C-alpha cells in the first residue's frame, strides 16, 4: 500500500491540509476511522489542487459528526437521509458521509443505504478513478486505498465504471462521465462507452431536479462548451429532452466568444436557443426549472421573436439598444454565440461590446440644478441624451449641455 503524504502536502490548499490534519487529531483514540475519498484523491494523484474535500467516516457513533465538526471549529449546516453532511469551517466546505452501500429499486431511483466498510463504500462509486481513499488515521496517515485499480486508470487517462449496472443504478453518471472526460482529457473505456450508450434511455427516469443539478455542474465547468457539445454528439442531451440541442453551434474560438467560463446563463441561453416555444415549455416542466432558468428561457424567446428587427440593415443604434437593454447581458451573449445569421450576430455583439456601456455624462441631479422640474421631463431628457449619444449625434459634454439648454429654452418660449 503506497503512501501519498507528500502529494497531499504539495497539492492540497493549505487550509484544506490543516483541516484534515486537525480532523485526524480529533479522531485519534476513537473507534471511528476517517478517509479522504473520491475526486480529491484523484486530483492530488494527478497533480491538481482539489476544489472540494470529501471525507468518509466508517461506522460513526451517534453524534460523532457533530463532535468532529466542533473539533475542527466547524458547523454542520446540512444533513441528508443518506448519511451525508455538509460542514462549514470559516470559508471552506467539507462534505462528510458515513461509509455505506446502496441498493436501487429501479433505474434512476434514489438509493436505499446502509452502513458498511470503506472497501464496500468505494465499490459503489461511479468510476474507478473516483474509487480511491486516503487514510487520515494517526497511525496510517496518507496510506492510499485503491481496491479497484483507479491509480492505474489515472496513468492510462481512462474512465471505467466499476460494474455493468453502474449507469442503470444511477443514470446521472452518464452526464458525469462526459464531464470528467472533457475536464480531465480522459477517454472513456470501450466497455464503459458501450454501457453508456446502452443505458442512456434510463435518463428519462431520473427526476428533473437531479438532471438539472448535473447540467448546472456541467455549465460551471471551465470547458462547459466542450462538455455540452460532447453531450449533444453522444445523444445525451436529446435523451434528456429533444429540446436540448447544442450540436449546430460551432466551437467558439474568437476572443469575445471565449469569455464564457463560469457564466452559467451564457451557456444555458445557448443550450436552449434551438428549442421552439413548445419545447422550451416542456424543458422547463421536465427539469423543474427554477426562477433563474425560467427568466433565461423567457429572454431567449424574446430575442428570437425580434429576429427580423435585429437583422434589419437600417436598424439604428438607439433602436438596437432599446430592443436589448432590459435583457440579461449573459443571455444576449449566449444568443450572440449561437445565432448563425451574420447580421443579427453582428448587432448583438455591437450591443454587448459597445452600446450597453454608453451613458450620457449629464445625470438627473444636473438637470434638477438647472431648474428642470422633478418628474417625467427629467426622464425624457435623459432618454433623449442617451439616444443621441448612441446614434452619434452627441460626442461631448458640451454637446449634451447645448442640447439641454436648447430644450429648456424651447420649453420657456
Amino acid at each position: 500500500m503506497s503512501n501519498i503524504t507528500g502529494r497531499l502536502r504539495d497539492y492540497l490548499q493549505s487550509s484544506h491540509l490543516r483541516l484534515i490534519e486537525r480532523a485526524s487529531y480529533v479522531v485519534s483514540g476513537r473507534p471511528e476511522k476517517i478517509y479522504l475519498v473520491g475526486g480529491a484523491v484523484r486530483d492530488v494523484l494527478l497533480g491538481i489542487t482539489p476544489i472540494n474535500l470529501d471525507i468518509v467516516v466508517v461506522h460513526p457513533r451517534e453524534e460523532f459528526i457533530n463532535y468532529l465538526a466542533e473539533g475542527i471549529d466547524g458547523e454542520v449546516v446540512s444533513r441528508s437521509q443518506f448519511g451525508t453532511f455538509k460542514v462549514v469551517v470559516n470559508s471552506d466546505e467539507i462534505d462528510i458521509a458515513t461509509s455505506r452501500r446502496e441498493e436501487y429499486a429501479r433505474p434512476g431511483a434514489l438509493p436505499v443505504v446502509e452502513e458498511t466498510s470503506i472497501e464496500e463504500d468505494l465499490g459503489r462509486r461511479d468510476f474507478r478513478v473516483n474509487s480511491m481513499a486516503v487514510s487520515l488515521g494517526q497511525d496510517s496517515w496518507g496510506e492510499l486505498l485503491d481496491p479497484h485499480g483507479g491509480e492505474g486508470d489515472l496513468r492510462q487517462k481512462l474512465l471505467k465504471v466499476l460494474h455493468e449496472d453502474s449507469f442503470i443504478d444511477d443514470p446521472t453518471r452518464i452526464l458525469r462521465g462526459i464531464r470528467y472526460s472533457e475536464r480531465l482529457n480522459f477517454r472513456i473505456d470501450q466497455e464503459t462507452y458501450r454501457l453508456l450508450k446502452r443505458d442512456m434511455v434510463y435518463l428519462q427516469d431520473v427526476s428533473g431536479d437531479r438532471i438539472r443539478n448535473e447540467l448546472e455542474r456541467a455549465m460551471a465547468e471551465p470547458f462547459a462548451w466542450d462538455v455540452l457539445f460532447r453531450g449533444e454528439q453522444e445523444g445525451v442531451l436529446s435523451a434528456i429532452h429533444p429540446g436540448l440541442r447544442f450540436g449546430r453551434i460551432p466551437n467558439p474560438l474568437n476572443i469575445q466568444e471565449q469569455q464564457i467560463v463560469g457564466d452559467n446563463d451564457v451557456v444555458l441561453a445557448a443550450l436552449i436557443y434551438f428549442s421552439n416555444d413548445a419545447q422550451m415549455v416542456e424543458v422547463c416542466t421536465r427539469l423543474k426549472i427554477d426562477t433563474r432558468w425560467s427568466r433565461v428561457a423567457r429572454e431567449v424567446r424574446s430575442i428570437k421573436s425580434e429576429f427580423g428587427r435585429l437583422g434589419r440593415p437600417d436598424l439604428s443604434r438607439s433602436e438596437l439598444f432599446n430592443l436589448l437593454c432590459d435583457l440579461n447581458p449573459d443571455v444576449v451573449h449566449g444568443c450572440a454565440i449561437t445565432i448563425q445569421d451574420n447580421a443579427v450576430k453582428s448587432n448583438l455583439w455591437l450591443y454587448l461590446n459597445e452600446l450597453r456601456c454608453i451613458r450620457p455624462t449629464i445625470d438627473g441631479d444636473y438637470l434638477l440644478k438647472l431648474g428642470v422640474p422633478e418628474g417625467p421631463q427629467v426622464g425624457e431628457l435623459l432618454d433623449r441624451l442617451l439616444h443621441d449619444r448612441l446614434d452619434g449625434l452627441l460626442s461631448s459634454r458640451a454637446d449634451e449641455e447645448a442640447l439641454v439648454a436648447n430644450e429648456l429654452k424651447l420649453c420657456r418660449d
Side-chain angles (χ1 to χ4, degrees), residues 356-410:
R356 73 186 179 104
C357 302
I358 292 177
R359 294 290 183 274
T361 61
I362 287 176
D363 59 18
D365 289 340
Y366 177 84
L367 296 179
L368 292 173
K369 288 177 182 177
L370 287 180
V372 179
E374 190 171 351
Q377 189 178 359
V378 173
E380 291 168 3
L381 272 173
L382 290 175
D383 285 344
R384 172 75 184 279
L385 288 166
L386 173 60
H387 290 161
D388 283 2
R389 269 280 187 181
L390 289 164
D391 290 331
L393 302 176
L394 304 174
S395 59
S396 66
R397 171 81 178 203
D399 290 343
E400 292 180 15
E401 291 176 348
L403 183 147
V404 171
N406 186 58
E407 290 294 319
L408 293 178
K409 179 176 182 299
L410 290 174

Side-chain angles (χ1 to χ4, degrees), residues 219-224 259-267 330:
M219 289 187 289
E221 287 284 328
F223 299 98
Q259 298 168 0
I260 62 172
V261 175
D263 291 330
N264 285 10
D265 287 354
V266 176
V267 185
D330 287 344

Side-chain angles (χ1 to χ4, degrees), residues 106-346:
R106 63 184 186 281
L110 294 175
V112 176
V113 303
E114 61 180 18
E115 290 187 18
T116 188
S117 66
I118 184 62
E119 290 80 8
E120 196 165 0
D121 180 275
L122 295 176
R124 68 172 178 80
R125 294 176 179 270
D126 50 12
F127 300 97
R128 299 195 332 179
V129 295
N130 293 331
S131 66
M132 294 177 284
V134 174
S135 173
L136 301 182
Q138 290 277 293
D139 58 351
S140 57
W141 171 271
E143 289 184 359
L144 178 66
L145 184 62
D146 181 18
H148 302 287
E151 190 174 15
D153 287 354
L154 287 182
R155 286 193 291 268
Q156 297 182 62
K157 294 190 172 184
L158 195 64
L159 285 177
K160 297 179 71 172
V161 290
L162 276 74
H163 58 87
E164 183 167 328
D165 290 337
S166 181
F167 295 130
I168 296 176
D169 286 346
D170 184 357
T172 64
R173 290 170 176 169
I174 293 172
L175 288 162
R176 291 203 293 278
I178 298 295
R179 181 156 56 91
Y180 292 145
S181 177
E182 292 299 321
R183 184 207 297 174
L184 301 173
N185 194 26
F186 278 23
R187 63 186 175 88
I188 297 175
D189 165 73
Q190 184 175 356
E191 175 60 12
T192 296
Y193 182 75
R194 182 188 72 81
L195 297 174
L196 181 150
K197 300 294 279 190
R198 183 197 71 181
D199 299 333
M200 207 175 294
V201 64
Y202 294 117
L203 283 167
Q204 65 188 4
D205 298 322
V206 181
S207 71
D209 288 332
R210 292 177 64 202
I211 291 290
R212 188 184 68 251
N213 289 338
E214 286 297 334
L215 287 174
E216 287 182 334
R217 291 187 184 100
M219 289 187 289
E221 287 284 328
F223 299 98
W225 216 259
D226 295 325
V227 172
L228 292 172
F229 193 81
R230 173 81 175 277
E232 166 68 20
Q233 290 178 315
E234 300 292 357
V236 175
L237 296 183
S238 60
I240 296 169
H241 191 280
L244 298 176
R245 286 180 287 171
F246 220 70
R248 286 184 286 170
I249 304 171
N251 200 27
L253 296 176
N254 65 55
I255 293 174
Q256 61 187 358
E257 294 185 357
Q258 284 281 7
Q259 298 168 0
I260 62 172
V261 175
D263 291 330
N264 285 10
D265 287 354
V266 176
V267 185
L268 174 57
L271 177 63
I272 62 176
Y273 178 81
F274 288 116
S275 303
N276 58 41
D277 285 353
Q279 287 175 328
M280 281 195 193
V281 172
E282 292 172 1
V283 167
C284 288
T285 301
R286 167 70 180 95
L287 301 182
K288 297 183 179 178
I289 296 302
D290 59 14
T291 302
R292 181 177 67 82
W293 278 44
S294 295
R295 175 182 50 77
V296 171
R298 184 170 59 252
E299 294 191 358
V300 169
R301 288 200 301 271
S302 175
I303 290 173
K304 292 174 69 173
S305 71
E306 297 290 358
F307 199 86
R309 295 173 68 188
L310 286 167
R312 271 177 31 208
D314 61 340
L315 184 69
S316 72
R317 289 159 60 96
S318 59
E319 288 174 318
L320 175 59
F321 179 90
N322 287 339
L323 286 172
L324 301 174
C325 64
D326 292 329
L327 304 180
N328 179 354
D330 287 344
V331 175
V332 180
H333 192 166
C335 291
I337 295 172
T338 310
I339 285 171
Q340 295 172 311
D341 182 280
N342 288 332
V344 177
K345 181 186 285 286
S346 177

